[in-house]
């Protein structure tokens, strides 16, 4: 798809298992696709409030990963990425920070051990 459309490929996803992230990042690097790893973070209380406010019944799927996210953030995820703290930002402000981070990043392919 990237070869067809050009530009910047944005993949909105959360990967909480480091081995999975390394496999994805290595695969992209093997194909010469530049990687800029950005994590959108919110503190636990804000995250829970957002999940609760999203639908009349909070998503059990999303709730089951709150602790896994906290563990990944503590152990490897935040060290492997640029973290944008969304806790007190509007969606437009978050998008602006991500665009600025991507624009400021040097072009190239990052390996998973140096992805930031």
């Amino acid at each position: 798809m990237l070869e067809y459309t050009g530009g910047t490929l944005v993949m909105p996803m959360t990967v909480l298992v480091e081995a999975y992230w390394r496999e994805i990042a290595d695969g992209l690097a093997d194909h010469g696709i530049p990687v800029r790893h950005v994590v959108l973070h919110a503190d636990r209380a804000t995250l829970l409030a957002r999940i609760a406010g999203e639908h009349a019944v909070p998503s059990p799927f999303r709730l089951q990963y709150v602790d896994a996210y906290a563990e990944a953030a503590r152990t490897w995820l935040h060290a492997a990425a640029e973290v944008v703290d969304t806790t007190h930002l509007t969606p437009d402000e978050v998008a602006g920070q991500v665009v600025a981070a991507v624009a400021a990043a040097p072009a190239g392919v990052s390996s998973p051990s140096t992805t930031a």
Side-chain angles (χ1 to χ4, degrees), residues 2-82:
L2 184 59
E3 287 179 11
Y4 178 74
T5 63
T8 301
L9 175 65
V10 176
M11 296 174 48
M13 58 190 291
T14 302
V15 180
L16 300 178
V17 177
E18 185 176 11
Y20 296 167
W21 167 247
R22 292 191 183 285
E23 182 179 348
I24 292 166
D26 284 346
L28 292 168
D30 288 348
H31 287 85
I33 298 172
V35 174
R36 182 69 176 165
H37 188 186
V38 178
V39 170
L40 304 182
H41 171 79
D43 65 39
R44 182 180 183 84
T46 301
L47 183 56
L48 290 171
R50 288 177 181 168
I51 293 169
E54 187 175 42
H55 300 287
V57 176
S59 168
F61 177 82
R62 290 186 66 200
L63 289 171
Q64 78 181 4
Y65 289 100
V66 170
D67 290 337
Y69 169 76
E71 180 64 13
R74 185 185 66 75
T75 58
W76 72 273
L77 184 60
H78 284 195
E82 177 163 344

